Amino acid sequence: MVMAEVCYPRSVQELYVFLKSTYLRRAVRFKECRLCGKLFAATDGDRTEYCSREYENGKTCRDVGASRIYQKKLLGNPITRAYKTHNARIRYGTMTREEFNAWTEEAKKHRDACQAGEISLERFEEWLKD
């Protein structure tokens, strides 16, 4: 036997009150999806940060959200991008491990100088690109 609440609203306000009471009883909260920015209903104990709407190619925000946010964060950081670029050069044989280690030490010195205010962030980013 299944019991369900039924509502036959005569006005929009009655429908609003019914939905509000239902959401409160079920501990439904609305969150903003970190990927697409739209609101979605999250029940009590649901710690997800992504909605279940289709994002692209049949995949939902929940399927691809965490990896997309991680990639955006990595690609947005010029230091990480430069490190990954130079590290890839080892795999492709255009740079040796010793050259990479020397570049890393030099990059740390430039980073520390930038943090100390000795060189500007723009100059540091230009050095990273070279």
Side-chain angles (χ1 to χ4, degrees), residues 22-82:
T22 303
Y23 288 158
L24 288 172
R25 265 195 317 278
R26 293 184 184 172
V28 175
R29 294 183 334 265
F30 290 95
K31 290 184 174 181
E32 186 176 327
C33 179
R34 282 187 63 195
L35 186 61
C36 69
K38 296 178 182 174
L39 290 177
F40 69 99
T43 58
D44 191 36
D46 189 9
R47 298 182 316 185
T48 186
E49 297 177 1
Y50 306 100
C51 66
S52 56
R53 291 182 184 93
E54 185 175 333
Y55 187 69
E56 63 181 23
N57 301 329
K59 301 272 185 174
T60 64
C61 289
R62 210 171 266 179
D63 295 338
V64 298
S67 62
R68 293 290 166 91
I69 297 294
Y70 178 72
Q71 288 298 325
K72 284 180 186 178
K73 189 170 117 179
L74 281 183
L75 295 176
N77 185 345
I79 297 170
T80 306
R81 270 196 330 260

Side-chain angles (χ1 to χ4, degrees), residues 1-129:
M1 186 165 145
V2 176
M3 292 185 63
E5 287 185 59
V6 179
C7 176
Y8 298 105
R10 285 171 272 180
S11 68
V12 174
Q13 185 161 355
E14 284 182 7
L15 178 62
Y16 170 76
V17 170
F18 175 75
L19 291 175
K20 182 178 169 185
S21 65
T22 303
Y23 288 158
L24 288 172
R25 265 195 317 278
R26 293 184 184 172
V28 175
R29 294 183 334 265
F30 290 95
K31 290 184 174 181
E32 186 176 327
C33 179
R34 282 187 63 195
L35 186 61
C36 69
K38 296 178 182 174
L39 290 177
F40 69 99
T43 58
D44 191 36
D46 189 9
R47 298 182 316 185
T48 186
E49 297 177 1
Y50 306 100
C51 66
S52 56
R53 291 182 184 93
E54 185 175 333
Y55 187 69
E56 63 181 23
N57 301 329
K59 301 272 185 174
T60 64
C61 289
R62 210 171 266 179
D63 295 338
V64 298
S67 62
R68 293 290 166 91
I69 297 294
Y70 178 72
Q71 288 298 325
K72 284 180 186 178
K73 189 170 117 179
L74 281 183
L75 295 176
N77 185 345
I79 297 170
T80 306
R81 270 196 330 260
Y83 182 87
K84 287 175 70 95
T85 300
H86 282 76
N87 195 23
R89 290 177 183 167
I90 294 172
R91 285 182 278 147
Y92 295 123
T94 58
M95 181 182 263
T96 65
R97 174 64 65 182
E98 292 76 25
E99 291 172 330
F100 176 73
N101 290 338
W103 177 86
T104 303
E105 290 302 318
E106 189 70 22
K108 287 178 184 178
K109 289 177 187 174
H110 279 79
R111 179 201 62 199
D112 294 341
C114 181
Q115 288 176 341
E118 297 170 8
I119 62 171
S120 67
L121 179 61
E122 292 80 22
R123 187 167 172 197
F124 178 52
E125 287 178 349
E126 285 175 20
W127 179 85
L128 284 173
K129 290 177 184 177

